[in-house]
Amino acid sequence: MVTAVAPVAWGTTYYVTDAFLPAGHPLYGSAFRALPAGLLLLAVCRTLPRGSWWWKSLILGVLNMGGFFALVYIAAQRLPTSVASAVMATAPLVMMLIAWALVSERPPAWHLAGAAVGVSGVCLMLLTGTGSPDPLGVAASGAAMAMSSLGYILAKRWSAQAGVLASTSWQLLAGGLLLLPLAAAVEGSPPALDGAALLGFGYVTVVATALAFAAWFAGLRHLPAATVGLVGLLNPVTGVLLGTAIAGEILTGRQLGGLLLVLTGVLLGRPVTRSGGAAEPAGWNRMRDASRGVGGQPRK
């Protein structure tokens, strides 16, 4: 599934950020990530916003990129990664409820069950029960989760009005331009970048931002929001597995049980046809029909 590229790529950013990117500059790091990715996608699609998409891009850029990254920065400063990730793991359920209200996608019972199982898996995998979480950090993480969930559903609602690459590039550019003055005010001068940092930002920009967000918004366009939200639970799974494979961290029995629960939740979110098979994404039939001639015969 193309949509899975997004959370898997986002999950790799934990290791890349820790190993290659300069510490202490998360806002500059987010701006350096968003702006080049937006420019890259804009160069590919060569389309500027028109009409209402000027203000829609600004709203989505704040919700999905700029404001989201800023709140995540506050949460990262005040919470252990495990707690912040557990709060963010509730996003599938929130996305289901918002999608029900805004795009009339009523979540079936198995999607709600998948969200409950997946969130339980993330908590089992990450939470250790040590310490008392900072209330402001929890609030920032919860606000980031709610903000991005709303932004994703608004992007889904408006998706028919612009191409995926174009709308993604506009959001990234709007969010990056918002982050730059905030980074200058909070973090001062931008960090110096060595060769390793440039390579790290190259990966984060191209793979974990441009490619990942394009895949994510394409998934929202063609799949139920509940399915996409549950696929997003692969983010912490990727972080844990990458830490085990590359950073030499030990995968405990508790984490393994959490991983299995998360994967079960993702499978429960898979769209199913009435005949019981996996559903084809919306738009697939149109592409298939476009390749056929009269009477369903292939074009020559």
Side-chain angles (χ1 to χ4, degrees), residues 122-279:
V122 171
C123 293
L124 181 63
M125 186 171 53
L126 298 178
L127 293 181
T128 61
T130 59
S132 178
D134 179 81
L136 181 58
V138 173
S141 186
M145 178 274 299
M147 176 181 288
S148 60
S149 297
L150 174 60
Y152 295 153
I153 302 306
L154 285 177
K156 180 180 180 66
R157 183 174 182 175
W158 296 332
S159 62
Q161 303 170 12
V164 172
L165 295 184
S167 61
T168 303
S169 70
W170 304 335
Q171 293 179 60
L172 287 167
L173 289 172
L177 291 173
L178 171 70
L179 283 167
L180 271 182
L182 183 61
V186 175
E187 298 175 359
S189 301
L193 303 179
D194 57 16
L198 290 173
L199 288 175
F201 271 120
Y203 170 82
V204 168
T205 295
V206 176
V207 177
T209 305
L211 177 62
F213 275 107
W216 185 254
F217 288 121
L220 280 169
R221 179 172 298 210
H222 299 310
L223 294 170
T227 298
V228 177
L230 287 169
V231 169
L233 293 175
L234 294 175
N235 183 335
V237 169
T238 303
V240 169
L241 293 179
L242 196 63
T244 302
I246 297 180
E249 299 174 2
I250 298 175
L251 184 64
T252 66
R254 174 174 173 161
Q255 288 178 317
L256 182 59
L259 287 171
L260 293 176
L261 285 176
V262 171
L263 294 177
T264 300
V266 173
L267 289 176
L268 285 172
R270 187 181 63 163
V272 177
T273 63
R274 292 182 179 179
S275 60

